[in-house]
Amino acid sequence: MRFAPSQENQAFAQSLDDLLSRAGVVAAARAWAEGEHGPGRKVWAALADLGVTGLAVPEEHGGVGADATDLAVAFQALGYHGVPGPVVESIAVLPALLDDPAQLEALAGGAIGTVALPPRTPFLLDADVADLRFVVGLDGAIAEAAAPSTLAHGSVDPTRRLFDAPPSTGGAPVDRDRGELLGAFAVAAQLLGAGRRLLDDTVEYAKARAQYGKVIGEYQAIKHLLADVATRLELAAPLLSGAAVALSGNDSRGVDLDPVRDVAAARVAAADAAYLAARTALQVHGAIGYTAEYDLGLWITKVRALQSAWGTQAEHRASVLDAVRKAAR
């Protein structure tokens, strides 16, 4: 089984990184948090031009028809740069649930979509700005949701606005389990990217911040903290790659693959690593890391919010344990 990214994956990652590095994502995220979505929509339009919003949309509907490996590359970049909006719901989940050509073409073209799958995902993320809104009931039927009221639930991440999902009535049956798997997988990749951004920014800060006549990055204790984060992030990466292979149904060359187990394992490892990166970033930065004006907080709050998005850590750990117990019987 090949875990290393292909040359195509590397080229795609570089193109996406170049695009987002000059797209003004930080300013767009701050505006999004204030309810001004224009700059964020421009970022989404740029992603659509690169084909990111249509990655999982079939080619016959204007998309790329890519597999989970490409989604992993994209969502790590989206997490690294802190792109605002319901990226998981719109880019990863909805293309797997919808079959209406017009709706799929709209998503590929850059329309913003959101979806709730109660009880695991009970809220519609950014439903006030979404062009397409859906709810999937426990019976697996998907139905369109009306525009939300002005009331929203707050989040520790100010760029996330959560709206109550209305009861699902009627609708066509969809593969709800597949949707939940893709949601958890995309969040894992997003967390891994956010964790790497926190590490990179903290390393740069440690190289520049001097204390008692010496840059703090030269202190052994700081080096150990950052090395621990780097190790945890690197250990989570192959689990994400394994989950991508399992979801894609690629040739595993005799390796036992279980999408539920592998996605859950990747989600747990990525979330734990990103959370450690956030805590370490705060510890190394000190008081400035707590200020709202400092950009570090955009990633710290996002990591905290994503810890319970598309399933909690406890739920995903239980999935791994259940799979291990079944295999041992």
Side-chain angles (χ1 to χ4, degrees):
M1 179 171 25
R2 180 181 176 83
F3 278 178
S6 65
Q7 291 184 347
E8 291 80 6
N9 290 148
Q10 294 175 13
F12 175 47
Q14 186 61 57
S15 297
L16 189 49
D17 182 69
D18 291 342
L19 169 69
L20 293 174
S21 294
R22 60 177 185 268
V25 177
V26 169
R30 291 194 178 279
W32 195 279
E34 296 297 325
E36 173 52 54
H37 302 114
R41 280 191 173 274
K42 288 182 180 179
V43 174
W44 277 72
L47 292 172
D49 290 341
L50 193 61
V52 176
T53 57
L55 272 177
V57 175
E59 292 184 64
E60 60 266 28
H61 298 310
V64 178
D67 62 15
T69 302
D70 299 297
L71 286 175
V73 172
F75 276 95
Q76 287 179 77
L78 295 173
Y80 187 91
H81 291 277
V83 174
V87 291
V88 170
E89 293 77 4
S90 190
I91 300 173
V93 180
L94 278 177
L97 300 179
L98 299 177
D99 58 9
D100 181 274
Q103 294 170 344
L104 289 169
E105 289 170 9
L107 290 175
I112 298 176
T114 189
V115 61
L117 288 79
R120 169 165 281 191
T121 308
F123 302 116
L124 286 166
L125 175 61
D126 293 324
D128 55 338
V129 68
D131 305 298
L132 300 169
R133 296 171 293 271
F134 298 90
V135 178
V136 179
L138 286 173
D139 59 355
I142 189 169
E144 291 193 58
S149 68
T150 57
L151 298 177
H153 298 276
S155 170
V156 66
D157 176 2
T159 68
R160 292 171 64 87
R161 288 169 57 86
L162 306 170
F163 294 83
D164 289 320
S168 176
T169 56
V174 296
D175 190 345
R176 179 188 166 102
D177 291 341
R178 177 74 175 180
E180 290 188 346
L181 274 179
L182 286 168
F185 171 76
V187 166
Q190 196 178 9
L191 281 163
L192 189 58
R196 284 175 172 158
R197 177 58 178 263
L198 286 163
L199 176 61
D200 287 351
D201 286 355
T202 305
V203 167
E204 290 304 311
Y205 180 81
K207 289 178 180 178
R209 176 75 166 93
Q211 195 170 36
Y212 305 115
K214 184 178 181 180
V215 295
I216 63 174
E218 294 181 8
Y219 290 104
Q220 200 70 14
I222 300 295
K223 291 180 180 180
H224 285 168
L225 288 173
L226 298 175
D228 286 344
V229 174
T231 299
R232 293 286 286 274
L233 290 169
E234 287 304 309
L235 289 174
L239 290 174
L240 184 69
S241 297
V245 172
L247 283 171
S248 302
N250 294 338
D251 179 17
S252 63
R253 300 183 183 180
V255 177
D256 174 39
L257 296 177
D258 178 345
V260 174
R261 178 200 63 198
D262 296 345
V263 168
R267 172 63 165 72
V268 168
D272 281 350
Y275 188 61
L276 178 63
R279 292 186 60 180
T280 301
L282 273 177
Q283 185 174 355
V284 173
H285 279 80
I288 193 174
Y290 287 89
T291 61
E293 295 79 10
Y294 198 64
D295 290 343
L296 186 79
L298 294 173
W299 282 271
I300 289 175
T301 55
K302 187 171 292 294
V303 165
R304 183 65 186 89
L306 291 178
Q307 292 289 309
S308 58
W310 291 91
T312 64
Q313 288 292 82
E315 289 172 332
H316 290 298
R317 285 192 174 95
S319 294
V320 175
L321 179 59
D322 184 59
V324 171
R325 283 174 172 169
K326 287 181 179 178
R329 291 174 185 169

